[in-house]
Amino acid sequence: EKKLAGCLSEQSISAMWCDLVTKKGLGFLHWEAKSLALKARWQWLNKYIPELSLITLDDDYLLSNLKLWFAPFVGGIKNKGQLDKLDLSAMLLSLLDYQQQQQLKQAAPTSFTGPTGRHCPITYSQEKSPKVSLPMQELYGLSKTPTVGIVEGSTVQQGVPLLLELLSPAKRPIQLTQDLVQFWQGSYQAVQKDMKSNYPRHYWPDDPANAKATNKTKRHIKE
């Protein structure tokens, strides 16, 4: 190993990996789900919350700036197996300072915590409203649609409503809505009727906006 280190400096090894990625493209790297999710959140902020002035994280930028986010981490990497174990999320985040990292975390959270306290993953795409799927019963008591895209202490005060995919107790999609208030007051009645006949053991209140969120059947709900 000493011999190898003598032949190739970390700088040389790093340059070799950079050349390889430049030739083969970013697909050569092992992108885990969390790294792809980070990219999607960041790109969503680039598109819909430009006031944050985050670096525009597209493939062109990443390839032409390998020296900034990739090279510092690969000087000691000897093979593709080691390369595949690298945490690309941490490498991408190295492009941001601490404050920007906090803004990203705050404005594009990875999950939505509903009234029951459960964390539901949020999916970001090129659509304006990121999507979250959860049982309809876990949203009782909410009188406004949850939002993302707000950063405390900044000019970004107008949130973007989440696209809620409401699920039945069997986790089947019932309805998509970006306006929970309108849904509770409108088409909920038809859904309630349907749910009562299909899932009689579950709780389908007449006034969901003021009911208590639950993930239990009626028998297990303590008043």
Side-chain angles (χ1 to χ4, degrees):
E1 282 198 7
K2 277 182 186 173
K3 220 174 185 182
L4 184 65
C7 301
L8 288 174
S9 67
E10 287 207 355
Q11 214 173 347
S12 312
I13 294 171
S14 182
M16 284 167 66
W17 284 119
C18 285
D19 287 345
L20 197 55
V21 174
T22 303
K23 281 180 196 140
K24 290 186 174 282
L26 293 168
F28 175 69
L29 300 174
H30 178 59
W31 293 91
E32 290 183 317
K34 73 167 186 172
S35 305
L36 291 171
L38 171 65
K39 255 176 92 179
R41 288 163 60 216
W42 192 329
Q43 288 170 343
W44 181 81
L45 287 171
N46 286 155
K47 187 169 182 178
Y48 295 108
I49 318 288
E51 303 95 310
L52 289 180
S53 306
L54 296 182
I55 290 159
T56 301
L57 195 81
D58 56 25
D59 288 0
D60 287 346
Y61 176 87
L62 290 174
L63 280 171
S64 53
N65 289 280
L66 287 168
K67 283 181 181 164
L68 290 179
W69 68 276
F70 180 74
F73 298 91
V74 295
I77 299 295
K78 304 287 194 300
N79 55 54
K80 180 72 163 70
Q82 287 181 335
L83 188 74
D84 287 347
K85 287 184 180 140
L86 288 177
D87 183 352
L88 294 178
S89 299
M91 292 159 74
L92 292 177
L93 287 171
S94 72
L95 288 165
L96 302 177
D97 63 28
Y98 177 75
Q99 188 191 7
Q100 290 172 320
Q101 289 187 31
Q102 294 309 302
Q103 288 177 332
L104 187 149
K105 203 183 280 188
Q106 198 177 54
T110 54
S111 63
F112 161 68
T113 307
T116 63
R118 194 164 67 84
H119 299 290
C120 307
I122 299 173
T123 305
Y124 292 81
S125 66
Q126 289 302 297
E127 299 298 321
K128 184 161 189 185
S129 280
K131 184 177 166 187
V132 65
S133 303
L134 72 168
M136 183 174 75
Q137 297 174 300
E138 292 188 20
L139 288 169
Y140 294 160
L142 278 191
S143 54
K144 62 179 187 178
T145 309
T147 59
V148 289
I150 295 175
V151 179
E152 283 169 28
S154 82
T155 52
V156 189
Q157 296 301 325
Q158 187 65 45
V160 177
L162 286 172
L163 177 63
L164 302 170
E165 182 178 49
L166 309 177
L167 307 175
S168 71
K171 303 289 193 291
R172 292 196 184 98
I174 304 170
Q175 182 107 2
L176 282 170
T177 182
Q178 284 170 278
D179 190 335
L180 203 52
V181 179
Q182 197 178 23
F183 171 68
W184 291 146
Q185 292 169 355
S187 53
Y188 169 75
Q189 284 184 324
V191 170
Q192 179 197 31
K193 192 179 170 188
D194 200 24
M195 290 295 108
K196 273 184 171 176
S197 71
N198 287 328
Y199 305 97
R201 293 185 304 115
H202 290 261
Y203 176 48
W204 310 109
D206 292 333
D207 183 8
N210 292 300
K212 193 167 192 269
T214 183
N215 48 21
K216 298 182 170 76
T217 55
K218 283 191 288 197
R219 193 161 64 89
H220 293 100
I221 295 172
K222 291 176 183 170
E223 294 303 330

